[in-house]
Amino acid sequence: MSENSFSKETQTRLIDFFTNTIDSDEMAKIIRQVNYVLSLCVMRGCETVESEVKNIEDNFY
């Protein structure tokens, strides 16, 4: 069971941000870009997948 630990003010601000401030398509694009960058960082740290990093860098959609 999880317990809600955000205050009412924080909940209100988060809801306002995600519903009024940022477009859902733009948020999805930002999440994909962040995921791409994080994945590359992790892959660069792992020598076993080093050969695939260049392929992934060149093929980001």
Side-chain angles (χ1 to χ4, degrees), residues 21-44:
T21 305
I22 193 161
D23 181 43
S24 60
D25 292 338
E26 191 66 26
M27 178 61 102
K29 181 180 176 182
I30 292 168
I31 290 171
R32 284 192 303 272
Q33 289 173 342
V34 168
N35 188 34
Y36 172 74
V37 170
L38 289 173
S39 298
L40 277 178
C41 289
V42 169
M43 290 179 71
R44 284 189 177 129

Side-chain angles (χ1 to χ4, degrees), residues 3-61:
E3 188 175 313
N4 190 354
S5 59
F6 291 127
S7 68
K8 270 295 196 203
E9 180 181 354
T10 303
Q11 288 178 8
T12 304
R13 288 183 181 196
L14 285 170
I15 290 169
D16 182 53
F17 175 78
F18 285 110
T19 57
N20 299 328
T21 305
I22 193 161
D23 181 43
S24 60
D25 292 338
E26 191 66 26
M27 178 61 102
K29 181 180 176 182
I30 292 168
I31 290 171
R32 284 192 303 272
Q33 289 173 342
V34 168
N35 188 34
Y36 172 74
V37 170
L38 289 173
S39 298
L40 277 178
C41 289
V42 169
M43 290 179 71
R44 284 189 177 129
C46 182
E47 294 175 8
T48 58
V49 292
E50 190 64 37
S51 61
E52 295 297 320
V53 171
K54 186 67 177 160
N55 186 30
I56 291 173
E57 285 177 338
D58 293 337
N59 294 315
F60 180 67
Y61 61 95

